[in-house]
Amino acid sequence: MRYITYLLVSIFTLFTFCGCGSFSGNYSLSGSSIDPSWKTIYIAPFPNYAQLQNPSLSQDLNLTLQDVFRNRTKLNLSGTDDSDLIIEGEITGYEVMPMSIQSNDIAAENRLTVTVKVKYINNIDETKSFDRTFSAYENFPGSQLLSDVEPTILPNIIDLIRDQVFASIAMDW
């Protein structure tokens, strides 16, 4: 039984580090399917069109997206829209909604949801391009104000959106 367990763990480890399913040769250790011939990416600023505004959300989202592509791919960030890959979009939602109502009609828990519309343009392989909407949320106690929890929960929401966008582009999800 121990031998079978060891064998299964070894096979799993082998597939994990060798990039199982990488028949096209476009996968890296991080699981990215970005073609090695793609060299540049431009990530345009995301204007904030949400009704409720956070003044730093647009910049924070943009910097987080730039960081993930700089750190997890070999793409070079470009300042122009004639790059191999282009990410542009807009923040369309920044909403707080009550989630759990107590017997006294007061929210026991609230949810901050951020929604972002993303247009991904692949100038080399247009079949990979898309327009999608991504959203993420975090719950917080109804006894706290958004302004009190925002510095803590907003970075988590931005990271969740970043991961969704990255997975959609770099891993064809």
Side-chain angles (χ1 to χ4, degrees):
M1 185 65 172
R2 268 192 146 159
Y3 177 74
I4 293 173
T5 303
Y6 175 76
L7 181 64
L8 290 174
V9 169
S10 298
I11 290 171
F12 176 75
T13 304
L14 177 68
F15 283 132
T16 301
F17 289 111
C18 292
C20 178
S22 60
F23 302 115
S24 66
N26 295 336
Y27 290 81
S28 71
L29 191 58
S30 68
S32 175
S33 65
I34 293 180
D35 191 297
S37 67
W38 304 344
K39 301 294 182 202
T40 58
I41 186 167
Y42 172 63
I43 302 173
F46 280 56
N48 192 343
Y49 297 125
Q51 196 168 24
L52 183 60
Q53 291 279 315
N54 176 298
S56 67
L57 179 58
S58 178
Q59 181 179 0
D60 292 345
L61 178 63
N62 190 270
L63 291 173
T64 300
L65 285 170
Q66 288 177 0
D67 286 346
V68 75
F69 280 93
R70 181 180 25 242
N71 295 330
R72 295 187 189 173
T73 71
K74 293 184 179 183
L75 294 168
N76 294 315
L77 290 177
S78 169
T80 63
D81 60 3
D82 64 346
S83 300
D84 297 336
L85 311 177
I86 300 170
I87 300 173
E88 51 190 33
E90 57 191 44
I91 299 162
T92 59
Y94 192 86
E95 302 169 330
V96 177
M97 299 191 62
M99 295 309 299
S100 303
I101 304 297
Q102 298 174 352
S103 61
N104 56 359
D105 291 334
I106 295 176
E109 191 172 54
N110 290 317
R111 175 174 289 174
L112 172 62
T113 304
V114 176
T115 306
V116 178
K117 183 177 177 184
V118 174
K119 181 176 183 177
Y120 167 60
I121 303 165
N122 186 319
N123 285 319
I124 297 176
D125 183 356
E126 292 181 11
T127 64
K128 306 268 186 198
S129 299
F130 62 75
D131 284 307
R132 290 189 192 151
T133 300
F134 300 93
S135 66
Y137 64 87
E138 284 266 337
N139 293 344
F140 62 96
S143 61
Q144 293 184 301
L145 297 172
L146 175 61
S147 59
D148 294 335
V149 298
E150 204 170 24
T152 305
I153 65 173
L154 188 55
N156 297 336
I157 294 171
I158 292 171
D159 287 348
L160 290 169
I161 292 173
R162 173 206 62 204
D163 292 345
Q164 292 173 35
V165 172
F166 182 78
S168 295
I169 293 170
M171 298 174 202
D172 286 333
W173 287 6

